[in-house]
Amino acid sequence: MEANLPDTTTEAWKLNEAGLSIFPLGSPFEEPPSWFVEVRCNDNYEQAKTDWPKAPRYRWKQYQDEAPDDSQIEQWTTLFPHTNWAIVTGYGVVVVDADSPEAVKFIEDGAITRTPLRATTSKGKHFYFQVNPDYPIQNSARKNRIDIRGAGGYVFAPGSTHADGTLYQWETDGYMDIADLHDLPMLTPDDVAAINGFNGQAAEEKPEGNLGFSTDQYQLPHDGSNLAEGQGRNNAAASMVGQLIRQDYSLMEIKRTLDQWNQSNTPPLSDAELNTTIASVTRTHTNNNPGAPVHVVPPPKPKFPFSHVKELVKGVKPINWLIKGFLEMDSLSLMFGEPACGKSFAAIDLACCVATGKDWHGKPVKKQGPVFYIAGEGFNGLSRRLMAWQVSHGYNLRNAPIYVSQCSASLIELGNARMVSDSIEEIVEETGGVIPSMIVIDTLARNFGPGDENATKEMNTFINNIDQLLRSKYECCVLIVHHTGVGSKDRARGNSALKGALDAEYAVVKSDDEVKITAKKMKDADEPEPVNFLFDPVRLPFMDDDGEPQYSCVLSYFDKNADMLAKREEAQEKSAEAGRRQAEINIGQKQIEIIKILNKQIVCAKAVLAGSGRDPALARIEIRNLKDAVTEKGIVPKKNWSRTFTALVERGFLEVDEPFVTITQKGRDIVFGADD
């Protein structure tokens, strides 16, 4: 039976690789769990059988802003190899759900923008569009003939099977692949208006306090031109209100601007209609943007103060170091590198040293204090690395003031940034008011939120939220862990506004087992020399279920200059040793001739002994006989004999047993080895 089930595991990984956020649903191939039958369906088993294939197995709201990591997908696919899957909408894609043949025909006849990516469903089709950052769409599931699935919603993923047995399948134009989601078109305000019209909502419909869309869905910017009846006056008014709110206009200023515009319309909207539009857009904006009110009257103009130079020079102070020569207090710093280069290991190492007060590889920690680590992923892996640091350095981190987030933070959003700041403040108050020395954001991509890190405005928003709610608030060091750029491995990814805001920037580069940290920017001090590390494996104090030892790594300091000097000295010693060995085996031609003469004398002596019936092994040659033979042949003058003979003995080619001399094995190997 199992062999015939759909391979949803393969489909899940394809969706994940395409950049979609997914999570597991129930399955029509299994019995609905008892809790679902009893609690969700009030003991209605038949209803549970119908609903379970589309029901989430877990809480899934966290995956609206952040896709599950690979380890989570691996766990799900292992547990549920044939289950249905959901695609979170509003994260990368918006889906138009046409739930009838008439709705499908309406869309495919060209009523809205055509998309090359579709999926067949049990009743109709899903039409996939790319998220439009300038025109966000909230989820709309009102059982209309056409629903729009946006932020806060999800759809059945292709590869899943409906309770009625229908298999959801991709339907694409020939050139389209699901991995190319960035090539999808975006849903436009005109598309939404056409869908609303199909569902029976008039374009000029004016329900009190509700325009039919939130301020996250402003129409395309209206240019302020005058309109006649039937030309979308209400939509134009809503567009103008949305633009003015985003430009921080007060209600009084918005009303004055729209009244002036409205007087030239033919005919003008009534005061009631115009006021309803302004109130509706304003109310929805404040609901969707907590902490960002629309002022009734213009707020007082902020002052732009100046200080005389004497106030500045008298207040000059030395650099307030967190880690001497490396990181400052009250600073924004960045550490970037390619995936798996060791940048997170370095961040953890820095965090543990700051929290415990331990010198960071020879650089003293000047402001020991609490560290808050905003982790974007891999909570379990982070725990293993912290334990490895503890084992390697002999520190018990149980009482160290290190606090690790349980999820990522969308720091581009003011409400989320404030939530992070408030959570830190709660711990500060609980621990007696000790403020953090360091806050780590690992990584920027995981903690940026639903924005474009290449956009100047959005990057500035991210930086401002960090500056105001984290760095300035506690005058601490905020260290961001980031990735390299796509085109250049020598710079951090994203908008250049980030580099401009940094006080310090470091590149982390891995080569084989070596990790090098190099300063790319140091705003108020000399750039430190590059620091080198090696990955040092650490055995953790526990086993897995099979009794296998578990390991992690730490970065161990590597003095490259000392290592190079040691290697140079070692090479020199090896070279000298090789020279000595070579000198030992080098032998002059005259010395070779002396050994050959001695060998000939030994051979003759052995022959004489053998001829007389005596043991040839008793053959001995006296030193004076060798000298006479050598000098007679003119090989060595008599005056040089003593020096030459002594050298042969000292170098181990000849051996003396007064008054006799013989050839050593070394001498034989040198002289005769090449001939044999």
Side-chain angles (χ1 to χ4, degrees):
M1 172 64 182
E2 186 166 320
N4 296 322
L5 297 179
D7 180 13
T8 61
T9 292
T10 300
E11 189 63 33
W13 281 114
K14 288 181 181 178
L15 297 171
N16 171 259
E17 291 169 3
L20 294 169
S21 181
I22 63 173
F23 62 87
L25 301 173
S27 171
F29 307 110
E30 64 187 31
E31 290 295 314
S34 57
W35 62 266
F36 188 80
V37 178
E38 296 165 4
V39 178
R40 296 286 183 86
C41 299
N42 297 317
D43 286 325
N44 186 333
Y45 178 77
E46 293 304 319
Q47 183 65 38
K49 286 286 287 183
T50 300
D51 293 349
W52 175 238
K54 279 194 174 184
R57 291 183 183 270
Y58 302 99
R59 296 179 185 274
W60 62 277
K61 295 298 183 182
Q62 60 182 309
Y63 303 120
Q64 294 179 91
D65 299 323
E66 178 183 8
D69 59 28
D70 288 354
S71 62
Q72 184 63 76
I73 301 291
E74 182 71 35
Q75 180 185 17
W76 285 339
T77 54
T78 301
L79 290 173
F80 315 113
H82 307 295
T83 197
N84 287 338
W85 291 86
I87 296 173
V88 178
T89 53
Y91 186 98
V93 293
V94 171
V95 177
V96 175
D97 181 5
D99 231 5
S100 68
E102 295 78 16
V104 171
K105 185 176 187 303
F106 172 77
I107 292 175
E108 292 188 337
D109 282 348
I112 68 172
T113 301
R114 176 176 173 77
T115 174
L117 186 63
R118 304 168 295 277
T120 56
T121 70
S122 62
K123 296 180 181 179
K125 289 185 181 181
H126 287 163
F127 297 83
Y128 283 75
F129 294 85
Q130 184 182 170
V131 166
N132 186 343
D134 296 325
Y135 184 56
I137 292 181
Q138 299 296 316
N139 192 55
S140 170
R142 305 188 181 91
K143 297 191 180 299
N144 293 318
R145 291 184 292 172
I146 301 178
D147 279 329
I148 303 177
R149 305 287 181 166
Y154 68 86
V155 294
F156 232 28
S160 301
T161 303
H162 193 273
D164 65 9
T166 301
L167 178 66
Y168 281 45
Q169 300 181 70
W170 288 114
E171 178 183 281
T172 65
D173 291 352
Y175 62 88
M176 185 66 194
D177 186 274
I178 66 167
D180 300 324
L181 297 179
H182 57 278
D183 291 334
L184 288 176
M186 297 177 183
L187 209 60
T188 69
D190 289 341
D191 294 332
V192 174
I195 292 171
N196 289 341
F198 182 83
N199 288 331
Q201 300 175 24
E204 291 275 347
E205 191 174 355
K206 301 178 289 296
E208 184 71 24
N210 181 14
L211 293 177
F213 58 89
S214 75
T215 45
D216 280 339
Q217 299 171 337
Y218 296 142
Q219 301 293 314
L220 288 177
H222 180 62
D223 60 7
S225 59
N226 307 119
L227 301 171
E229 186 172 8
Q231 292 183 331
R233 292 169 300 165
N234 281 317
N235 283 345
S239 170
M240 294 175 69
V241 173
Q243 294 174 69
L244 294 172
I245 286 176
R246 285 183 286 182
Q247 296 172 34
D248 295 325
Y249 277 64
S250 68
L251 285 177
M252 181 180 294
E253 293 169 312
I254 293 172
K255 180 68 165 65
R256 185 185 305 121
T257 301
L258 264 74
D259 279 344
Q260 184 178 1
W261 163 78
N262 188 42
Q263 293 309 309
S264 299
N265 288 328
T266 52
L269 292 167
S270 68
D271 283 344
E273 289 177 309
L274 196 61
N275 292 343
T276 295
T277 297
I278 296 172
S280 174
V281 173
T282 303
R283 185 182 301 114
T284 309
H285 172 82
T286 55
N287 287 341
N288 290 343
N289 297 272
V294 180
H295 296 283
V296 176
V297 297
K301 292 183 178 180
K303 294 182 178 180
F304 190 76
F306 285 88
S307 296
H308 192 275
V309 66
K310 67 181 180 181
E311 299 297 325
L312 300 177
V313 296
K314 78 176 183 180
V316 173
K317 297 178 181 179
I319 294 175
N320 187 10
W321 290 109
L322 171 63
I323 297 177
K324 186 67 178 288
F326 196 78
L327 291 176
E328 297 179 49
M329 294 292 290
D330 195 10
S331 68
L332 180 64
S333 301
L334 185 81
M335 185 172 285
F336 70 88
E338 295 184 84
C341 72
K343 55 186 180 294
S344 289
F345 282 96
I348 291 169
D349 193 26
L350 288 163
C352 290
C353 288
V354 170
T356 61
K358 181 186 182 302
D359 284 1
W360 186 69
H361 306 288
K363 297 181 184 294
V365 172
K366 307 297 286 185
K367 301 290 182 182
Q368 177 185 358
V371 176
F372 288 83
Y373 203 105
I374 304 173
E377 60 183 18
F379 190 80
N380 186 49
L382 189 62
S383 300
R384 295 165 66 91
R385 295 176 185 182
L386 288 166
M387 180 176 287
W389 191 94
Q390 176 178 272
V391 171
S392 175
H393 294 277
Y395 276 72
N396 190 338
L397 294 178
R398 179 174 300 174
N399 298 319
I402 301 176
Y403 306 92
V404 182
S405 70
Q406 298 181 18
C407 60
S408 60
S410 178
L411 295 175
I412 196 175
E413 298 175 308
L414 182 61
N416 283 332
R418 282 180 173 162
M419 181 173 62
V420 172
S421 181
D422 291 344
S423 296
I424 293 175
E425 186 62 28
E426 287 179 12
I427 295 176
V428 169
E429 292 175 359
E430 290 170 1
T431 55
V434 182
I435 63 174
S437 290
M438 186 180 196
I439 298 173
V440 180
I441 300 171
D442 185 4
T443 59
L444 182 147
R446 286 291 188 176
N447 291 288
F448 193 80
D452 181 2
E453 63 188 56
N454 291 300
T456 301
K457 181 179 179 181
E458 295 180 20
M459 180 58 75
N460 280 329
T461 299
F462 173 78
I463 295 167
N464 290 338
N465 288 346
I466 291 173
D467 274 346
Q468 295 172 16
L469 298 172
L470 300 178
R471 181 189 62 79
S472 295
K473 182 176 181 179
Y474 298 111
E475 296 184 348
C476 66
C477 171
V478 176
L479 175 64
I480 301 172
V481 181
H482 195 22
H483 296 286
T484 55
V486 176
S488 173
K489 306 304 180 185
D490 198 43
R491 62 176 293 272
R493 192 173 72 191
N495 190 271
S496 60
L498 176 61
K499 187 177 181 72
L502 296 174
D503 296 288
E505 182 184 34
Y506 291 95
V508 182
V509 178
K510 181 176 181 291
S511 178
D512 296 327
D513 291 331
E514 184 180 333
V515 176
K516 183 177 182 180
I517 300 178
T518 305
K520 293 296 183 181
K521 177 182 180 181
M522 182 64 79
K523 187 174 180 181
D524 293 321
D526 292 335
E527 293 183 357
E529 292 295 322
V531 188
N532 297 278
F533 299 91
L534 296 175
F535 276 115
D536 190 7
V538 177
R539 181 169 177 173
L540 302 179
F542 57 84
M543 307 279 192
D544 67 6
D545 293 340
D546 298 322
E548 295 290 334
Q550 300 296 289
Y551 292 87
S552 186
C553 288
V554 295
L555 293 181
S556 61
Y557 178 68
F558 174 47
D559 189 338
K560 195 162 187 177
N561 290 332
D563 182 70
M564 290 175 62
L565 179 60
K567 286 181 177 178
R568 187 181 300 117
E569 291 176 349
E570 182 182 359
Q572 290 173 347
E573 179 58 32
K574 286 182 178 179
S575 177
E577 179 63 24
R580 287 192 294 271
R581 289 198 303 269
Q582 187 63 37
E584 287 184 359
I585 65 174
N586 282 345
I587 187 169
Q589 186 59 38
K590 291 181 179 180
Q591 293 172 319
I592 292 174
E593 290 298 324
I594 293 171
I595 293 174
K596 286 184 176 180
I597 289 172
L598 177 57
N599 183 66
K600 186 174 182 180
Q601 289 177 330
I602 293 171
V603 171
C604 291
K606 285 183 178 182
V608 171
L609 290 172
S612 61
R614 298 168 62 189
D615 185 2
L618 297 176
R620 295 287 188 272
I621 304 298
E622 292 186 16
I623 298 173
R624 62 184 178 84
N625 292 333
L626 175 61
K627 176 183 177 182
D628 291 342
V630 170
T631 56
E632 284 179 6
K633 287 183 175 292
I635 295 173
V636 175
K638 288 184 179 181
K639 63 180 180 179
N640 295 338
W641 163 254
S642 179
R643 185 177 62 200
T644 305
F645 179 75
T646 301
L648 285 167
V649 174
E650 289 178 347
R651 296 178 64 191
F653 297 136
L654 299 181
E655 185 176 19
V656 174
D657 183 14
E658 289 287 356
F660 303 108
V661 63
T662 187
I663 305 172
T664 64
Q665 187 60 48
K666 178 179 177 182
R668 290 191 174 279
D669 291 342
I670 291 296
V671 176
F672 304 109
D675 297 331
D676 293 340

